[in-house]
């Protein structure tokens, strides 16, 4: 089976603009035989052409094995991260496809410029393709934000009728999707995401943003709201609110965040 066989992108494009958490990604293909395809939740985050924060070129290639780069991190599944000459390389491979990577993404040190190379024999060149297919789009944003621009949180985000943002933080199985479904049908309320929220400080206000990387409830919105309240979810015998000390809150928030743990500067 080739990667992307079950994709049903409706349109072949040469350039698209994606906006996630006020970060504009310009994704472009200069190859006539490489059509960009956008489908699924990421479609909600498409915007008209504008100045971009991140610029990425996508093209075909015949990829080889490791080339002497320094391995920084191994996810234990699809991807590994390497460093060479000040650049970062994500290599994506699957045992079902063979030993060679099916995709390599190279970025400069601050993740503002990049190139995605797809191993042509592994794809159907007649079908539009989304080169930043998950988890690459999330990895890109995580590393871009980590340089003092924000952080991704494992959380459900809800906007109330007054436009205030409420963050329900919790690890897998804590009840984020359940909370999201409770608010989904409430009038004048918006669920930004049932699993991934991005927080950014802009002009002394912390904003929470929806992302395309949803959980079981399948809820994803490109909207944002100023953060008002943070709740930490735990399963219990009854519904109750328990106040928490600031130090404990920081610990819980960090445990549910997505900083690149292989980057000392980002952790600081």
């Amino acid at each position: 089976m080739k990667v992307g066989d079950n994709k049903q992108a409706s349109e072949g494009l040469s350039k698209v603009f994606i906006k996630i958490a006020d970060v504009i990604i310009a994704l472009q293909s200069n190859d006539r035989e490489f059509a960009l395809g956008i489908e699924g939740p990421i479609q909600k985050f498409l915007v008209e052409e504008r100045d971009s924060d991140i610029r990425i070129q996508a093209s075909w290639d015949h990829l080889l094995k490791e080339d002497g780069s320094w391995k920084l991190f191994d996810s234990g599944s699809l991807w590994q991260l390497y460093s060479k000459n000040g650049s970062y390389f994500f290599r994506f491979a699957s045992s079902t496809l063979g030993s060679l990577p099916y995709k390599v993404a190279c970025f400069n040190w601050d993740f503002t410029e990049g190139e995605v190379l797809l191993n042509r024999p592994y794809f159907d060149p007649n079908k539009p393709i989304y080169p930043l297919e998950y988890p690459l789009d999330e990895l890109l944003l995580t590393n871009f934000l980590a340089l003092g621009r924000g952080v991704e949180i494992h959380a459900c985000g809800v906007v109330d009728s007054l436009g205030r943002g409420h963050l329900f933080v919790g690890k897998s199985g804590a009840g984020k999707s359940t909370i999201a479904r409770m608010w989904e049908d409430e009038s004048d309320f918006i669920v930004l995401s049932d699993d991934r929220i991005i927080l950014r400080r802009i002009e002394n206000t912390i904003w929470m943003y929806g992302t395309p990387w949803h959980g079981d409830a399948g809820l994803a919105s490109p909207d944002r709201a100023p953060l008002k309240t943070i709740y930490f979810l735990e399963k219990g015998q009854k519904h109750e609110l328990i106040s928490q000390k600031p130090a404990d809150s920081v610990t819980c928030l960090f445990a549910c965040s997505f900083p690149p743990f292989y980057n000392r500067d980002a952790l600081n």
Side-chain angles (χ1 to χ4, degrees):
M1 182 181 74
K2 293 188 176 183
V3 175
D5 271 356
N6 57 356
K7 297 287 184 186
Q8 294 183 355
S10 58
E11 187 175 5
L13 305 168
S14 62
K15 192 172 186 178
V16 296
F17 291 81
I18 303 167
K19 181 181 178 181
I20 302 174
D22 282 334
V23 177
I24 305 297
I25 303 171
L27 176 60
Q28 182 172 351
S29 166
N30 292 326
D31 188 337
R32 292 183 178 180
E33 297 183 359
F34 192 130
L36 301 175
I38 306 296
E39 54 97 33
I42 196 70
Q43 288 181 321
K44 299 179 181 179
F45 295 79
L46 293 176
V47 293
E48 298 296 326
E49 182 171 349
R50 60 191 67 185
D51 292 338
S52 56
D53 302 289
I54 303 173
R55 292 163 293 280
I56 300 175
Q57 298 282 340
S59 60
W60 298 116
D61 204 340
H62 290 275
L63 301 175
L64 303 176
K65 294 183 179 181
E66 300 176 19
D67 59 358
S69 303
W70 179 262
K71 184 188 292 187
L72 295 177
F73 186 79
D74 189 334
S75 70
S77 56
L78 286 178
W79 63 273
Q80 298 173 326
L81 175 62
Y82 295 82
S83 175
K84 185 178 182 180
N85 299 328
S87 297
Y88 293 101
F89 297 83
F90 289 95
R91 293 181 179 272
F92 296 83
S94 171
S95 59
T96 61
L97 296 174
S99 59
L100 297 179
Y102 64 84
K103 179 167 64 178
V104 169
C106 174
F107 298 99
N108 62 348
W109 71 273
D110 63 353
F111 289 86
T112 57
E113 299 276 353
E115 182 179 22
V116 180
L117 305 175
L118 281 77
N119 204 345
R120 189 162 189 161
Y122 289 171
F123 292 82
D124 184 346
N126 297 315
K127 293 184 178 181
I129 295 172
Y130 177 44
L132 301 181
E133 183 181 22
Y134 180 87
L136 179 54
D137 48 12
E138 184 179 30
L139 290 171
L140 171 60
L141 260 294
T142 296
N143 283 274
F144 177 84
L145 293 171
L147 298 176
R149 302 179 178 112
V151 66
E152 183 182 3
I153 303 293
H154 209 177
C156 164
V158 178
V159 184
D160 66 23
S161 58
L162 298 178
R164 301 172 301 185
H166 302 274
L167 193 68
F168 296 87
V169 181
K171 298 180 180 180
S172 297
K176 297 185 298 299
S177 293
T178 300
I179 286 286
R181 293 188 182 100
M182 291 171 59
W183 294 106
E184 182 181 9
D185 296 327
E186 293 290 333
S187 61
D188 299 325
F189 280 72
I190 300 173
V191 178
L192 298 179
S193 173
D194 65 320
D195 197 60
R196 300 283 204 277
I197 292 290
I198 288 175
L199 300 180
R200 302 190 67 189
R201 183 189 294 274
I202 300 177
E203 296 181 352
N204 297 320
T205 297
I206 297 180
W207 292 86
M208 49 181 265
Y209 296 83
T211 72
W213 313 300
H214 59 74
D216 293 339
L219 301 175
S221 168
D223 293 332
R224 71 172 190 171
L227 179 62
K228 173 66 176 178
T229 314
I230 300 177
Y231 304 91
F232 298 99
L233 298 176
E234 288 186 4
K235 291 187 176 181
Q237 299 299 316
K238 60 180 180 179
H239 297 303
E240 60 179 334
L241 287 175
I242 301 174
S243 297
Q244 189 156 272
K245 296 179 180 179
D248 294 332
S249 297
V250 170
T251 300
C252 292
L253 197 60
F254 185 76
C256 291
S257 65
F258 288 81
F261 292 103
Y262 41 79
N263 188 324
R264 179 183 300 176
D265 293 335
L267 287 176
N268 289 337

